[in-house]
Amino acid sequence: MTHSPPSFHRRTALALGAAAFTRPGFAQAATALPCPSGPGEIVGLMLEGTGAPAGTVTVFGQAFPPGHVPRGAALRARDTNGRESPAQLDVFAVHADGSARLGVVSLAPPAIGKGQERGVMLMAGAGGSPAPLDIAAALSGRSAVLELASAGGQVWRLDLLAAFRSAPADQAWQSGPLAVQRRVAVAVPADSLAGVTSLRVVADVALRSDGTLWTEVWLRNDAAMRPGGGSASYGVRVLLDGREAMRTGLLHQWQYTGWGRLLAADHGKPAAEPPRPRHDTNYLADAGAVPRYSMSSGAVDRALGQLARQVAEGNWSAPLEARGITRAMPSTGGRADIGPVTQPQALWLGTGDQRAATVSIGQAEAAGSVPWHMWDPSVNGWLDVKKWPRLWVDSRGGPPPGGLMQNVSGDTGWTPDTAHQPDLSTVPFILTGRRAFLDELLAQSAWNIISLWPAPRGEGEANVVRGVQVRGAAWSMRQLDNAAWAAPRGDRTGDYLRGVAASNWAWIRAQIPEWTRRQGEAHGWIPGEYGTPGAIAPWQQDYFVSTAVLSARRGNADARAVLDWMENFIAGRFLSGDRGFNPHDGCAYNLAMWPENQPQSPFNTWARIGQETRARNMSNGNGWSTSDGDYGTLAIQSLTLLSEVTGTPRARAALSWIQNAGAPYTAPAQRAGSQFDIAPRDAAGGCRVPARGTR
């Protein structure tokens, strides 16, 4: 069948490839992403050439709104010259109607010159049964071996391809004509590691139609609740087609951590780098996958340059390195790794820049080194309170079932903390489709529950909001909601976290009548623990808004009800001057909200809140003395999100006020490049996502 060249609509977008690493001062080049216009067209993307031969398979993740890829539909791909390329879609998460929510896309495009770009349109086609990849032929003459050498010199070998052959085909991550990927998970024998029983090899092995062999090998020292767990010392070598693809020196790996690398070979030589995809991230935002960013300033270019230097100057390639993640997570300040996403991820989403992609993906790998990975081999999932209702992974939890069989070592160099935790994995997982990043997301999300003291959490319950810092509730709910949205059905931890996320949103919604009664005309703020007696931090409410908006945009009715309720406070703090509350205090560091010794009796009028805030010297007065930070930016973020989701005149009026009030660091150029500089829908440009059923 032949097709005439499509008349793709176009939009201006910001993109930058790997060439930017060697072209100082080159910020973002305006290019055109194709927009869907014809029947069956779903979303456009851009492929940046690497000089790889025609047919080199590129693999990436893609999110879809409900109904865009119906159950059983196939995927087609056509470039702006009208040429179709082989395409494969493996769906691992679906919407309620069975249509695709998240999947892994494989494309085999024509050759694209290094640094050149080519627009591609993804289209829905009739389902079929294309001839699958001939696995026997693809494996012929190939080899993939992992060697693990203990500190004593003993070598243990794992034949990855033999394990691949025996892995269940019906559990494959990819299975089609372009790529087949299966998981290999093997416990390292304790007698190879001086009796350590907690180390596992988890490898995702893939064969592709271009003849390349890919393996993402992770060493996960995370098995919990069994005798013999502890730190492990070893060196690793991986051989692909007889060629050494990776070698380490002797490593010391603490329990509850992991590290991994993605490796590839082409019949004994290094595999060509596939074309790099650049997503239509505006489409991803409309699908509820990510926040919306649009970045194009000198400040953004400087931030991207800093990311390039971070990779070039640091010990970037070493296993178990932090790669710019703050190890002491309780640390405060303007950190690049805290927010709805991290700053590198925001820059990646907002610009498509390869420098930001490199750091974001690198930090998703480095997330493995945080000691929040507790694997329960008995259930083939991460530790949960379904099996361990009293579990608290703090050393004060005592022996099992109250605590871990081996406590987290105090010498890891990491101090995980729910109130200051970054989300290092969701965006890289969505954009790359790498299964290991889903592991990271699920491990961290499950840890958010068992890291809480069971008294406020509830024994056998998983309430991550009640009685905790609101910023901790915001980021814990962010993790739970992202995991619930992304994980495949049937995954034990994913199903567990879906239930936990739903119960937490339902609990918050159920508190609204009582909270409203207590809070009165200033209602709309989430109660919690704060560092200053009798006060709340309004910027922590802004954190929670960013989480609630993401969940509401994914169709969560409870989150939307919570958001509608919060708007009264989030907008009202800038619109209640006629009620005795100073709008300058809307982004103050703290607000006086109840008598210091009566937390159950909050002040319930704007006038009283304003009066007490002034009396306790927390007020900005006519200036901004308590707002010297990102507090104004956070307010703009919340109101931008509210203006898009709820669309009320109050939200828009409050947004206009704070945007023009002159609060510190709220000018557009000062916010540029921040993970909190979320773009409004109409200002972000891009392709409009047609209503469901109009394609």
Coordinates of all heavy atoms in Angstrom, one line a residue, residues 128-216:
G128 N -3.1 -6.7 14.3 CA -2.7 -7.9 13.4 C -1.7 -8.7 14.2 O -1.4 -8.5 15.3
S129 N -1.1 -9.7 13.5 CA -0.1 -10.5 14.1 C 1.1 -10.6 13.1 O 1.3 -11.5 12.4 CB -0.7 -12.0 14.2 OG -1.8 -11.9 15.1
P130 N 1.9 -9.5 13.2 CA 3.1 -9.5 12.3 C 4.0 -10.6 12.8 O 4.0 -11.1 13.9 CB 3.7 -8.1 12.6 CG 3.2 -7.7 13.9 CD 1.8 -8.3 14.0
A131 N 4.8 -11.1 11.8 CA 5.8 -12.2 12.1 C 6.7 -11.7 13.3 O 7.3 -10.7 13.2 CB 6.6 -12.5 10.9
P132 N 6.8 -12.5 14.3 CA 7.6 -12.1 15.4 C 9.1 -12.3 15.1 O 9.5 -13.0 14.1 CB 7.2 -13.1 16.5 CG 6.7 -14.3 15.8 CD 6.1 -13.8 14.6
L133 N 9.9 -11.6 15.9 CA 11.4 -11.7 15.7 C 11.8 -13.2 15.9 O 11.3 -13.9 16.8 CB 12.1 -10.9 16.7 CG 13.6 -10.8 16.6 CD1 14.0 -10.0 15.4 CD2 14.1 -10.1 17.9
D134 N 12.6 -13.7 15.0 CA 13.1 -15.1 15.0 C 14.2 -15.1 16.1 O 15.3 -14.8 15.9 CB 13.7 -15.5 13.7 CG 14.1 -16.9 13.6 OD1 14.3 -17.5 14.7 OD2 14.1 -17.5 12.5
I135 N 13.7 -15.5 17.3 CA 14.7 -15.5 18.4 C 15.8 -16.5 18.3 O 17.0 -16.2 18.6 CB 13.9 -15.8 19.7 CG1 12.9 -14.7 20.0 CG2 14.8 -16.0 20.9 CD1 12.0 -14.9 21.2
A136 N 15.5 -17.7 17.7 CA 16.6 -18.7 17.5 C 17.7 -18.1 16.6 O 18.9 -18.3 16.9 CB 16.0 -20.0 17.0
A137 N 17.2 -17.5 15.5 CA 18.2 -16.9 14.6 C 19.0 -15.7 15.2 O 20.2 -15.6 15.0 CB 17.5 -16.4 13.3
A138 N 18.2 -14.9 16.0 CA 18.9 -13.8 16.6 C 19.9 -14.2 17.7 O 20.9 -13.5 17.9 CB 17.8 -12.9 17.3
L139 N 19.7 -15.3 18.3 CA 20.6 -15.8 19.3 C 21.8 -16.6 18.8 O 22.8 -16.8 19.5 CB 19.9 -16.7 20.3 CG 18.9 -16.0 21.3 CD1 18.1 -17.0 22.1 CD2 19.7 -15.0 22.2
S140 N 21.7 -17.0 17.5 CA 22.7 -17.8 16.9 C 24.1 -17.1 17.0 O 24.2 -16.0 16.5 CB 22.4 -18.2 15.5 OG 23.4 -19.0 14.9
G141 N 25.0 -17.8 17.6 CA 26.4 -17.3 17.6 C 26.6 -16.2 18.6 O 27.7 -15.6 18.7
R142 N 25.6 -15.9 19.4 CA 25.7 -14.7 20.4 C 26.0 -15.3 21.8 O 25.7 -16.4 22.1 CB 24.4 -13.9 20.4 CG 23.8 -13.6 19.1 CD 24.8 -12.8 18.2 NE 25.1 -11.5 18.8 CZ 24.3 -10.3 18.5 NH1 23.3 -10.4 17.7 NH2 24.7 -9.2 19.0
S143 N 26.5 -14.4 22.6 CA 26.8 -14.7 24.0 C 26.7 -13.5 24.9 O 26.9 -12.4 24.4 CB 28.2 -15.4 24.2 OG 29.2 -14.4 23.8
A144 N 26.3 -13.7 26.1 CA 26.2 -12.6 27.1 C 26.4 -13.3 28.5 O 25.7 -14.1 28.9 CB 24.8 -11.9 27.1
V145 N 27.5 -12.9 29.1 CA 28.0 -13.5 30.3 C 28.3 -12.5 31.3 O 29.0 -11.5 31.0 CB 29.2 -14.4 30.1 CG1 29.7 -15.0 31.4 CG2 28.9 -15.5 29.1
L146 N 27.8 -12.7 32.6 CA 28.2 -11.8 33.7 C 29.1 -12.6 34.6 O 28.8 -13.8 34.9 CB 26.9 -11.4 34.5 CG 27.2 -10.5 35.7 CD1 26.2 -9.4 35.9 CD2 27.2 -11.4 37.0
E147 N 30.2 -12.0 35.0 CA 31.2 -12.6 35.9 C 31.2 -11.7 37.1 O 31.4 -10.5 37.0 CB 32.6 -12.7 35.3 CG 32.6 -13.7 34.1 CD 34.0 -13.8 33.5 OE1 34.9 -12.9 33.9 OE2 34.3 -14.7 32.7
L148 N 31.1 -12.4 38.3 CA 31.1 -11.7 39.6 C 32.3 -12.3 40.4 O 32.2 -13.5 40.7 CB 29.8 -11.8 40.3 CG 29.6 -10.9 41.6 CD1 28.2 -10.5 41.7 CD2 30.1 -11.8 42.8
A149 N 33.3 -11.5 40.7 CA 34.4 -12.0 41.5 C 34.3 -11.4 42.9 O 34.3 -10.2 43.1 CB 35.7 -11.5 40.8
S150 N 34.3 -12.3 43.8 CA 34.3 -12.0 45.2 C 35.6 -11.3 45.7 O 36.6 -11.4 45.0 CB 34.0 -13.2 46.1 OG 35.1 -14.1 46.1
A151 N 35.6 -10.7 46.8 CA 36.8 -10.1 47.4 C 37.9 -11.2 47.5 O 39.1 -10.9 47.5 CB 36.6 -9.4 48.7
G152 N 37.5 -12.4 47.7 CA 38.5 -13.5 47.9 C 39.0 -14.1 46.6 O 39.8 -15.0 46.6
G153 N 38.5 -13.6 45.5 CA 38.9 -14.1 44.2 C 38.1 -15.1 43.5 O 38.3 -15.5 42.4
Q154 N 37.0 -15.6 44.2 CA 36.2 -16.6 43.6 C 35.3 -16.0 42.6 O 34.7 -14.9 42.8 CB 35.3 -17.2 44.7 CG 34.4 -18.4 44.2 CD 33.6 -19.0 45.4 OE1 33.7 -18.6 46.5 NE2 32.8 -20.0 45.0
V155 N 35.1 -16.6 41.4 CA 34.4 -16.1 40.3 C 33.1 -16.9 40.1 O 33.1 -18.1 40.0 CB 35.2 -16.1 39.0 CG1 34.4 -15.6 37.8 CG2 36.4 -15.2 39.2
W156 N 32.0 -16.2 40.0 CA 30.7 -16.8 39.7 C 30.2 -16.3 38.4 O 30.3 -15.1 38.1 CB 29.7 -16.4 40.8 CG 28.2 -16.9 40.6 CD1 27.8 -18.2 40.6 CD2 27.1 -16.1 40.2 NE1 26.4 -18.2 40.3 CE2 26.0 -16.9 40.0 CE3 27.0 -14.7 39.9 CZ2 24.8 -16.4 39.7 CZ3 25.8 -14.2 39.5 CH2 24.7 -15.1 39.4
R157 N 29.7 -17.2 37.5 CA 29.4 -16.8 36.2 C 27.9 -17.0 35.9 O 27.3 -18.0 36.4 CB 30.2 -17.5 35.1 CG 31.6 -17.1 35.1 CD 32.4 -17.9 34.0 NE 33.8 -17.5 33.9 CZ 34.8 -17.8 34.7 NH1 34.5 -18.7 35.7 NH2 36.0 -17.4 34.6
L158 N 27.2 -16.1 35.2 CA 25.8 -16.2 34.9 C 25.7 -16.1 33.4 O 26.1 -15.0 32.8 CB 25.0 -15.2 35.6 CG 23.5 -15.1 35.2 CD1 22.8 -16.4 35.5 CD2 22.8 -13.9 35.9
D159 N 25.2 -17.1 32.7 CA 24.9 -17.1 31.3 C 23.6 -16.4 31.1 O 22.5 -17.0 31.2 CB 24.9 -18.5 30.7 CG 24.8 -18.5 29.2 OD1 24.2 -17.6 28.6 OD2 25.2 -19.5 28.5
L160 N 23.6 -15.1 30.7 CA 22.4 -14.3 30.5 C 21.5 -14.8 29.4 O 20.3 -14.7 29.5 CB 22.8 -12.8 30.3 CG 23.5 -12.1 31.5 CD1 24.0 -10.8 31.1 CD2 22.5 -12.0 32.7
L161 N 22.1 -15.3 28.3 CA 21.3 -15.8 27.2 C 20.6 -17.1 27.5 O 19.4 -17.3 27.1 CB 22.1 -15.8 25.9 CG 22.6 -14.5 25.4 CD1 23.2 -14.7 24.0 CD2 21.5 -13.4 25.4
A162 N 21.2 -17.9 28.3 CA 20.6 -19.2 28.7 C 19.4 -18.9 29.6 O 18.3 -19.5 29.5 CB 21.6 -20.1 29.4
A163 N 19.6 -17.9 30.5 CA 18.5 -17.5 31.4 C 17.4 -16.8 30.6 O 16.2 -17.0 30.9 CB 19.0 -16.5 32.5
F164 N 17.8 -16.0 29.5 CA 16.8 -15.4 28.7 C 15.9 -16.4 28.0 O 14.7 -16.3 27.9 CB 17.6 -14.6 27.6 CG 16.7 -14.0 26.5 CD1 16.1 -12.7 26.6 CD2 16.4 -14.7 25.4 CE1 15.3 -12.2 25.6 CE2 15.6 -14.2 24.3 CZ 15.1 -12.9 24.5
R165 N 16.6 -17.5 27.5 CA 15.8 -18.6 26.8 C 14.8 -19.2 27.7 O 13.7 -19.6 27.3 CB 16.7 -19.6 26.3 CG 17.6 -19.2 25.1 CD 18.5 -20.4 24.6 NE 19.3 -20.0 23.5 CZ 20.6 -19.6 23.6 NH1 21.1 -19.6 24.9 NH2 21.3 -19.4 22.6
S166 N 15.1 -19.3 29.0 CA 14.2 -20.0 29.9 C 13.2 -19.1 30.6 O 12.3 -19.5 31.3 CB 15.0 -20.7 31.0 OG 15.8 -19.8 31.7
A167 N 13.3 -17.7 30.4 CA 12.4 -16.8 31.0 C 11.0 -16.9 30.3 O 10.9 -17.2 29.1 CB 12.9 -15.4 30.8
P168 N 9.9 -16.8 31.1 CA 8.6 -16.9 30.5 C 8.3 -16.0 29.4 O 8.4 -14.7 29.6 CB 7.7 -16.7 31.7 CG 8.5 -16.9 32.9 CD 9.9 -16.5 32.5
A169 N 8.0 -16.5 28.2 CA 7.7 -15.6 27.1 C 6.5 -14.7 27.3 O 6.4 -13.6 26.8 CB 7.6 -16.4 25.8
D170 N 5.5 -15.2 28.1 CA 4.3 -14.4 28.3 C 4.5 -13.3 29.3 O 3.6 -12.5 29.5 CB 3.2 -15.3 28.8 CG 3.5 -16.0 30.1 OD1 4.6 -16.0 30.6 OD2 2.5 -16.7 30.6
Q171 N 5.7 -13.2 29.9 CA 6.0 -12.1 30.8 C 7.0 -11.1 30.2 O 7.6 -10.3 30.9 CB 6.5 -12.6 32.1 CG 5.5 -13.5 32.9 CD 6.0 -14.0 34.2 OE1 7.0 -13.5 34.7 NE2 5.4 -15.1 34.6
A172 N 7.2 -11.2 28.9 CA 8.2 -10.3 28.2 C 7.8 -8.9 28.3 O 6.6 -8.5 28.2 CB 8.3 -10.8 26.7
W173 N 8.7 -8.0 28.4 CA 8.5 -6.6 28.4 C 8.3 -6.1 27.0 O 7.5 -5.2 26.8 CB 9.7 -5.9 29.0 CG 9.6 -4.4 29.3 CD1 10.2 -3.4 28.7 CD2 8.7 -3.8 30.3 NE1 9.8 -2.2 29.3 CE2 8.9 -2.4 30.3 CE3 7.8 -4.3 31.3 CZ2 8.3 -1.5 31.1 CZ3 7.2 -3.4 32.1 CH2 7.4 -2.1 32.0
Q174 N 9.0 -6.6 26.0 CA 8.8 -6.4 24.6 C 8.7 -7.7 23.9 O 9.4 -8.7 24.2 CB 9.9 -5.6 24.0 CG 10.1 -4.2 24.5 CD 11.3 -3.5 24.0 OE1 12.4 -3.7 24.5 NE2 11.2 -2.7 22.9
S175 N 7.8 -7.8 22.9 CA 7.6 -9.0 22.2 C 7.0 -8.7 20.8 O 5.8 -8.5 20.7 CB 6.7 -10.0 23.0 OG 6.6 -11.2 22.3
G176 N 7.8 -8.7 19.8 CA 7.3 -8.3 18.5 C 8.3 -8.5 17.4 O 9.4 -9.1 17.6
P177 N 8.1 -7.9 16.2 CA 9.0 -8.1 15.1 C 10.3 -7.3 15.2 O 11.3 -7.6 14.6 CB 8.2 -7.7 13.9 CG 7.2 -6.7 14.5 CD 6.8 -7.2 15.8
L178 N 10.3 -6.2 16.0 CA 11.5 -5.4 16.1 C 12.3 -5.6 17.4 O 13.5 -5.4 17.4 CB 11.1 -3.9 16.1 CG 10.3 -3.4 14.8 CD1 10.1 -1.9 15.0 CD2 11.2 -3.7 13.6
A179 N 11.7 -6.1 18.4 CA 12.4 -6.2 19.7 C 11.7 -7.2 20.6 O 10.4 -7.3 20.6 CB 12.5 -4.9 20.4
V180 N 12.5 -8.0 21.3 CA 12.0 -8.9 22.3 C 12.9 -8.7 23.5 O 14.1 -8.8 23.5 CB 12.1 -10.4 21.9 CG1 11.7 -11.3 23.0 CG2 11.2 -10.7 20.7
Q181 N 12.2 -8.4 24.6 CA 12.9 -8.2 25.9 C 12.3 -9.0 27.0 O 11.1 -9.0 27.2 CB 12.9 -6.7 26.3 CG 13.6 -6.4 27.6 CD 13.6 -4.9 28.0 OE1 13.9 -4.1 27.1 NE2 13.2 -4.6 29.2
R182 N 13.2 -9.8 27.7 CA 12.7 -10.6 28.8 C 13.6 -10.3 30.0 O 14.8 -9.9 29.9 CB 12.8 -12.1 28.5 CG 11.9 -12.5 27.3 CD 12.1 -14.0 27.0 NE 11.4 -14.4 25.8 CZ 11.5 -15.5 25.2 NH1 12.4 -16.4 25.7 NH2 10.8 -15.9 24.1
R183 N 13.1 -10.5 31.2 CA 13.8 -10.3 32.4 C 14.5 -11.5 33.0 O 13.9 -12.6 33.0 CB 12.9 -9.7 33.5 CG 13.5 -9.6 34.9 CD 12.9 -8.5 35.7 NE 13.4 -7.2 35.3 CZ 13.1 -6.0 36.0 NH1 12.4 -6.1 37.1 NH2 13.6 -4.9 35.5
V184 N 15.7 -11.4 33.4 CA 16.5 -12.4 34.1 C 16.7 -11.9 35.5 O 17.2 -10.9 35.7 CB 17.8 -12.7 33.4 CG1 18.7 -13.6 34.2 CG2 17.6 -13.2 32.0
A185 N 16.3 -12.7 36.5 CA 16.4 -12.4 37.9 C 17.0 -13.6 38.6 O 16.3 -14.6 38.7 CB 15.1 -11.9 38.5
V186 N 18.2 -13.5 39.2 CA 18.9 -14.6 39.8 C 19.5 -14.2 41.1 O 20.3 -13.2 41.1 CB 20.0 -15.2 38.8 CG1 20.7 -16.4 39.5 CG2 19.3 -15.6 37.5
A187 N 19.3 -14.9 42.1 CA 20.0 -14.6 43.4 C 21.4 -15.1 43.3 O 21.7 -16.2 42.8 CB 19.3 -15.3 44.6
V188 N 22.4 -14.3 43.7 CA 23.8 -14.7 43.7 C 24.0 -15.6 44.8 O 23.6 -15.3 46.0 CB 24.7 -13.4 43.8 CG1 26.2 -13.9 43.9 CG2 24.5 -12.5 42.7
P189 N 24.6 -16.8 44.6 CA 24.8 -17.8 45.7 C 25.6 -17.2 46.8 O 26.6 -16.5 46.6 CB 25.5 -18.9 45.0 CG 25.2 -18.8 43.5 CD 25.1 -17.3 43.3
A190 N 25.1 -17.5 48.0 CA 25.8 -16.9 49.2 C 27.2 -17.4 49.3 O 28.1 -16.7 49.8 CB 25.0 -17.3 50.5
D191 N 27.5 -18.6 48.8 CA 28.9 -19.2 49.0 C 29.8 -18.5 48.0 O 31.0 -18.7 48.1 CB 28.9 -20.7 48.8 CG 28.3 -21.1 47.4 OD1 28.1 -20.3 46.6 OD2 28.2 -22.3 47.2
S192 N 29.3 -17.7 47.1 CA 30.2 -16.8 46.2 C 30.5 -15.5 46.8 O 31.3 -14.7 46.3 CB 29.5 -16.6 44.9 OG 29.2 -17.9 44.2
L193 N 29.8 -15.1 47.9 CA 29.9 -13.8 48.5 C 30.1 -13.9 50.0 O 29.6 -13.0 50.8 CB 28.7 -13.0 48.2 CG 28.5 -12.4 46.8 CD1 27.2 -11.8 46.6 CD2 29.6 -11.4 46.5
A194 N 30.9 -14.8 50.5 CA 31.2 -14.9 51.9 C 30.0 -15.0 52.8 O 29.9 -14.4 53.9 CB 32.1 -13.7 52.3
G195 N 29.0 -15.6 52.2 CA 27.8 -15.9 53.0 C 26.7 -14.8 52.9 O 25.6 -14.9 53.5
V196 N 26.9 -13.8 52.1 CA 25.9 -12.7 51.9 C 24.8 -13.3 51.1 O 25.0 -13.8 49.9 CB 26.5 -11.5 51.3 CG1 25.4 -10.4 51.0 CG2 27.6 -10.9 52.2
T197 N 23.5 -13.2 51.5 CA 22.4 -13.8 50.9 C 21.5 -12.7 50.2 O 20.5 -13.1 49.6 CB 21.5 -14.5 51.9 OG1 21.0 -13.6 52.8 CG2 22.3 -15.6 52.6
S198 N 21.8 -11.5 50.2 CA 20.9 -10.4 49.8 C 21.1 -9.9 48.4 O 20.4 -9.0 47.9 CB 20.9 -9.2 50.8 OG 22.3 -8.9 51.1
L199 N 22.2 -10.4 47.7 CA 22.5 -9.8 46.4 C 21.8 -10.6 45.3 O 21.8 -11.8 45.2 CB 24.0 -9.9 46.1 CG 24.5 -9.2 44.9 CD1 24.3 -7.7 44.9 CD2 26.0 -9.5 44.6
R200 N 21.2 -9.8 44.3 CA 20.5 -10.4 43.2 C 21.1 -9.7 41.9 O 21.5 -8.6 41.9 CB 19.0 -10.1 43.2 CG 18.2 -10.5 44.4 CD 16.7 -10.2 44.2 NE 16.5 -8.8 44.2 CZ 15.5 -8.2 43.4 NH1 14.8 -9.0 42.6 NH2 15.3 -6.9 43.4
V201 N 21.1 -10.5 40.8 CA 21.3 -9.9 39.5 C 19.9 -9.8 38.8 O 19.2 -10.8 38.8 CB 22.2 -10.8 38.6 CG1 22.3 -10.3 37.2 CG2 23.6 -11.0 39.3
V202 N 19.6 -8.6 38.4 CA 18.3 -8.4 37.7 C 18.7 -7.8 36.3 O 19.2 -6.6 36.3 CB 17.4 -7.5 38.4 CG1 16.1 -7.2 37.6 CG2 17.1 -8.0 39.8
A203 N 18.5 -8.5 35.2 CA 19.0 -8.1 33.9 C 17.8 -8.1 32.9 O 17.1 -9.1 32.9 CB 20.1 -8.9 33.4
D204 N 17.6 -7.0 32.2 CA 16.7 -7.0 31.1 C 17.4 -7.2 29.8 O 18.2 -6.3 29.4 CB 15.9 -5.7 31.2 CG 15.1 -5.5 32.4 OD1 14.3 -6.5 32.7 OD2 15.1 -4.5 33.1
V205 N 17.2 -8.3 29.2 CA 18.0 -8.7 28.0 C 17.1 -8.6 26.8 O 15.9 -9.1 26.8 CB 18.5 -10.2 28.1 CG1 19.3 -10.6 26.9 CG2 19.3 -10.3 29.4
A206 N 17.6 -7.9 25.7 CA 16.7 -7.7 24.6 C 17.5 -8.0 23.3 O 18.7 -7.8 23.2 CB 16.3 -6.2 24.5
L207 N 16.7 -8.6 22.3 CA 17.2 -8.8 21.0 C 16.4 -7.9 20.1 O 15.2 -7.7 20.2 CB 17.0 -10.2 20.6 CG 17.6 -11.3 21.5 CD1 17.0 -12.7 21.1 CD2 19.1 -11.3 21.3
R208 N 17.1 -7.3 19.1 CA 16.5 -6.4 18.2 C 16.7 -6.8 16.7 O 17.6 -7.5 16.4 CB 17.0 -4.9 18.4 CG 16.7 -4.4 19.8 CD 17.1 -2.9 19.9 NE 16.8 -2.5 21.3 CZ 17.2 -1.2 21.7 NH1 17.8 -0.4 20.9 NH2 16.9 -0.9 23.0
S209 N 15.8 -6.4 15.9 CA 15.8 -6.8 14.5 C 17.0 -6.3 13.7 O 17.3 -6.8 12.6 CB 14.5 -6.4 13.8 OG 14.4 -5.0 13.8
D210 N 17.7 -5.3 14.2 CA 18.9 -4.8 13.6 C 20.1 -5.6 13.9 O 21.2 -5.3 13.5 CB 19.1 -3.3 13.9 CG 19.2 -3.1 15.4 OD1 19.4 -4.0 16.2 OD2 19.1 -1.9 15.8
G211 N 19.9 -6.7 14.6 CA 21.1 -7.6 15.0 C 21.8 -7.2 16.3 O 22.8 -7.9 16.6
T212 N 21.3 -6.2 17.0 CA 22.0 -5.8 18.2 C 21.4 -6.6 19.4 O 20.3 -7.1 19.4 CB 21.8 -4.3 18.5 OG1 20.4 -4.0 18.5 CG2 22.5 -3.5 17.4
L213 N 22.3 -6.7 20.4 CA 22.0 -7.4 21.6 C 22.1 -6.4 22.7 O 23.2 -5.7 22.9 CB 22.9 -8.6 21.8 CG 23.0 -9.2 23.2 CD1 21.6 -9.9 23.5 CD2 24.1 -10.3 23.3
W214 N 21.1 -6.2 23.6 CA 21.0 -5.2 24.6 C 20.8 -5.9 25.9 O 20.0 -6.8 26.0 CB 19.9 -4.2 24.4 CG 20.2 -3.3 23.2 CD1 20.0 -3.7 21.9 CD2 20.6 -2.0 23.2 NE1 20.3 -2.7 21.0 CE2 20.7 -1.6 21.8 CE3 20.8 -1.0 24.2 CZ2 21.0 -0.3 21.4 CZ3 21.2 0.3 23.8 CH2 21.3 0.6 22.4
T215 N 21.5 -5.4 27.0 CA 21.2 -5.9 28.3 C 21.4 -4.8 29.3 O 22.4 -4.1 29.3 CB 22.1 -7.1 28.7 OG1 21.8 -7.6 30.0 CG2 23.6 -6.8 28.6
E216 N 20.4 -4.6 30.1 CA 20.6 -3.7 31.2 C 20.8 -4.5 32.5 O 19.8 -5.2 33.0 CB 19.3 -2.8 31.4 CG 19.5 -1.8 32.5 CD 18.6 -0.6 32.4 OE1 17.7 -0.5 31.5 OE2 18.8 0.4 33.2

